[in-house]
Amino acid sequence: MIKILKDGLLTTIQDLGRTGYQKYGVIVSGSMDTYAHRLANLLVGNEEEEALLEATLLGPVIEFKKDTVISICGGDLSPDINGKKVGMWKAIFVKSGAVLKFGKPKTGCRAYIAFAGGLDISKVMESRSTYIRAQIGGYKGRPLQSEDVIPLRRSSADHSQSQASTEDLLFNETDWTIASDMIPNYTSRPVISLIKGPQFEWFKEESQKALYSESFKISSQSDRMGYRLEGASLFLKAKKELISEAVAFGSIQVPPDGNPIILLADRQTTGGYPKIGQVASVDLPVLCQTKPGEQLSFKEVSLEEAQQAYLEQEHSIQLLKRSISLKIKEAFS
């Protein structure tokens, strides 16, 4: 099990989302950076969708009450174990008694901490994701707090103690890591691939051009539900009414004030504002690692280009999955 000694800014339990319930008004939720989430789980031998911890900006302090294997992917929040820096995007054997801490964010803003076997908590509507507003899922439907104790499920990594080089070593980094070309470049000024939205043609020509030529700043009034953007105002050619319709992760809605909102993991199930664009799936992780106050810009891509980029990424992930699976079998056979 693990014990939370300090809770950090916002640490929640997330999986890949509560799918199949939007028709009842229940949001999907889940991890913001699904790419980092999936790779963190693969590194410790879990299924990709297994629940883990999502830490935002200021990470928690975690004490390990049993030997286990962890990985930390996503934003680099300067993790260390018992005062010694640990690597990102790799599997790490950790002994009981070790303490994981985080420091100043270096790149990105969200770190994903996966534990071999996963977190031993109950599902709500087939998901362990925390939906804070409804107080369901995760641990008591809320962000983790100091003194919370979360049990871990057993896995083959329970034999990890024998992998440490000395008896007094509290952690040992393995060679199970991610190739550098698979690690996202979390920059403070990302260029995000964007497909034209279903109501793109409703907007004035100058607004259409501004969407792809201007930079936008992420407002401080942003959260897991959506990023509010500040910059060029985007306006319709004429006032139109839109019946509320389904929205997706990465849909860009534009309310009457002209300031676009990118809908994210905790988005509502439907929306009535016109959608000027849709962020390509492969760029959602990079988008979700940007912080309030940072800027981003968009580049236009076609639906076909976005689909091809997605297929290439999925192919790389599946190759990685097979490679790690073989390493785990060799290590624990």
Side-chain angles (χ1 to χ4, degrees):
M1 66 180 64
I2 58 171
K3 182 177 181 180
I4 308 300
L5 302 183
K6 291 185 180 179
D7 48 12
L9 181 63
L10 177 64
T11 304
T12 58
I13 294 172
Q14 301 292 344
D15 56 23
L16 293 182
R18 187 167 283 108
T19 58
Y21 293 90
Q22 291 187 86
K23 60 186 176 183
Y24 304 116
V26 180
I27 69 170
V28 175
S29 196
S31 288
M32 291 275 276
D33 183 344
T34 57
Y35 182 83
H37 177 122
R38 295 170 66 189
L39 267 59
N41 272 319
L42 291 178
L43 280 167
V44 298
N46 292 343
E47 294 298 321
E48 298 171 39
E49 66 273 11
E50 186 60 62
L52 44 58
L53 301 187
E54 178 185 86
T56 306
L57 285 173
L58 179 62
V61 178
I62 301 171
E63 181 182 7
F64 294 85
K65 295 295 188 179
K66 62 172 285 187
D67 298 352
T68 191
V69 177
I70 69 168
S71 68
I72 307 169
C73 295
D76 186 349
L77 307 187
S78 303
D80 72 65
I81 296 177
N82 284 61
K84 296 183 179 180
K85 181 181 178 181
V86 293
M88 302 280 297
W89 304 92
K90 61 172 56 180
I92 305 167
F93 291 101
V94 184
K95 282 192 171 183
S96 177
V99 175
L100 170 65
K101 297 181 180 179
F102 293 86
K104 182 179 179 181
K106 292 181 179 178
T107 60
C109 63
R110 293 180 171 88
Y112 294 84
I113 312 153
F115 305 85
L119 304 172
D120 191 8
I121 59 171
S122 300
K123 290 184 178 182
V124 176
M125 287 179 262
E126 302 178 70
S127 171
R128 295 184 174 91
S129 282
T130 308
Y131 178 12
I132 297 174
R133 285 185 174 87
Q135 298 183 343
I136 62 173
Y139 184 75
K140 299 182 179 180
R142 59 165 171 77
L144 297 185
Q145 299 175 0
S146 300
E147 302 302 316
D148 286 345
V149 175
I150 312 295
L152 304 178
R153 295 201 299 277
R154 292 183 59 84
S155 76
S156 56
D158 290 333
H159 304 294
S160 61
Q161 185 171 357
S162 62
Q163 302 293 325
S165 59
T166 63
E167 285 299 316
D168 61 348
L169 190 65
L170 285 174
F171 74 94
N172 180 38
E173 295 185 10
T174 75
D175 60 355
W176 307 351
T177 187
I178 305 297
S180 59
D181 61 355
M182 287 191 69
I183 298 175
N185 181 22
Y186 299 131
T187 71
S188 58
R189 297 179 67 93
V191 179
I192 305 298
S193 298
L194 189 70
I195 307 162
K196 289 180 179 179
Q199 289 84 40
F200 180 83
E201 297 299 332
W202 290 18
F203 289 83
K204 293 180 178 180
E205 184 178 351
E206 55 266 34
S207 293
Q208 295 175 5
K209 291 180 179 178
L211 179 66
Y212 291 111
S213 62
E214 302 289 334
S215 294
F216 296 86
K217 185 173 77 170
I218 299 175
S219 167
S220 59
Q221 303 300 312
S222 298
D223 55 20
R224 281 177 46 89
M225 185 175 181
Y227 277 177
R228 294 180 178 270
L229 304 183
E230 299 174 350
S233 296
L234 310 177
F235 293 110
L236 299 174
K237 296 173 182 176
K239 185 176 180 180
K240 288 190 176 184
E241 294 295 330
L242 177 66
I243 297 174
S244 290
E245 58 185 16
V247 293
F249 198 162
S251 293
I252 302 182
Q253 290 187 322
V254 184
D257 64 7
N259 295 315
I261 303 171
I262 309 177
L263 302 182
L264 303 176
D266 282 355
R267 65 197 177 277
Q268 70 274 23
T269 57
T270 61
Y273 295 136
K275 295 179 286 298
I276 195 171
Q278 173 66 44
V279 175
S281 296
V282 293
D283 277 359
L284 285 172
V286 173
L287 168 68
C288 290
Q289 290 287 356
T290 53
K291 312 177 190 69
E294 294 182 340
Q295 293 192 339
L296 56 83
S297 56
F298 299 107
K299 65 176 181 181
E300 183 180 354
V301 296
S302 66
L303 175 60
E304 292 73 22
E305 289 171 327
Q307 289 174 330
Q308 183 60 36
Y310 175 78
L311 291 173
E312 291 173 359
Q313 183 185 77
E314 287 301 303
H315 178 68
S316 296
I317 291 175
Q318 295 311 310
L319 288 176
L320 175 69
K321 185 175 182 177
R322 287 195 288 271
S323 176
I324 292 176
S325 178
L326 288 173
K327 280 185 172 290
I328 290 175
K329 287 180 180 179
E330 291 173 0
F332 299 110
S333 59

